[in-house]
Amino acid sequence: VALQRLLRQAYARRRCAPAAVDLLVTDDARIRILNRRFRHEDGATDVLAFEDGGREPRTGRRHLGDIVVSLTTARREGASRALRWTDELALYAVHGLLHLLGMRDGTAAGAQAMRQAAVREFAACGLRSDRLFAPIRRPERPAPRRRPAGKKR
């Protein structure tokens, strides 16, 4: 599903006045720079949302803000959930839009509400949502090899 179409449909379902959102798909290096600059957190993240609320000069439409998503993270996290990276990236974009629409995930209740909203958006677009919030499987480190007792190098 094209990210722009997904965001348009998700926004339209909320029956809000027409508005614009800018979407940037980038890599972990660039999103880390933005995260450090604007959130004062030194590390890559999956999605950033920057609220604006101003007007677009050309159209006069409200500009909700900017959404920045990491393709690098989507590929890595999607693989760890057995989820297509395109679906993982779509999840990040929807999550960013929900933030621009005022939802917050700083509490357990807020996070749950955002997860439920994302699942509804995926279902409305005909996308599978059963793996969206599956635990991320980190690769296991192999156990250190031990030398047999009594053998020296």
Side-chain angles (χ1 to χ4, degrees):
V1 167
L3 292 178
Q4 289 177 329
R5 187 176 69 206
L6 175 67
L7 292 175
R8 275 192 208 109
Q9 290 172 353
Y11 185 78
R13 277 188 283 284
R14 280 164 177 65
R15 296 185 176 96
C16 299
V21 170
D22 290 318
L23 175 68
L24 172 65
V25 178
T26 190
D27 60 15
D28 275 357
R30 180 69 176 147
I31 207 166
R32 179 182 181 185
I33 291 167
L34 295 170
N35 200 22
R36 184 175 36 226
R37 180 174 176 192
F38 294 104
R39 294 183 62 221
H40 310 290
E41 293 186 21
D42 189 19
T45 187
D46 50 5
V47 59
L48 293 170
F50 301 100
E51 293 180 37
D52 182 359
R55 298 272 173 198
E56 283 200 320
R58 290 180 300 131
T59 64
R61 283 188 301 180
R62 181 174 160 219
H63 184 256
L64 288 179
D66 304 320
I67 300 170
V68 183
V69 294
S70 173
L71 178 59
T72 313
T73 299
R75 286 185 169 147
R76 182 179 62 248
E77 302 291 311
S80 71
R81 289 185 224 271
L83 186 68
R84 294 181 311 189
W85 66 265
T86 53
D87 290 345
E88 186 79 15
L89 197 64
L91 172 63
Y92 300 166
V94 167
H95 188 87
L97 178 65
L98 294 173
H99 274 300
L100 295 181
L101 292 170
M103 294 187 80
R104 298 292 174 257
D105 56 0
T107 65
Q112 179 65 22
M114 286 189 80
R115 282 191 295 273
Q116 290 171 346
V119 167
R120 282 192 302 272
E121 293 308 330
F122 267 61
C125 290
L127 297 171
R128 286 185 56 196
S129 61
D130 58 323
R131 302 287 312 157
L132 282 182
F133 299 102
I136 295 172
R137 294 186 314 259
R138 301 282 181 219
E140 291 184 29
R141 292 184 177 169
R145 291 177 41 172
R146 297 183 183 188
R147 285 186 230 135
K151 288 198 173 183
K152 295 183 180 181
R153 285 186 161 184

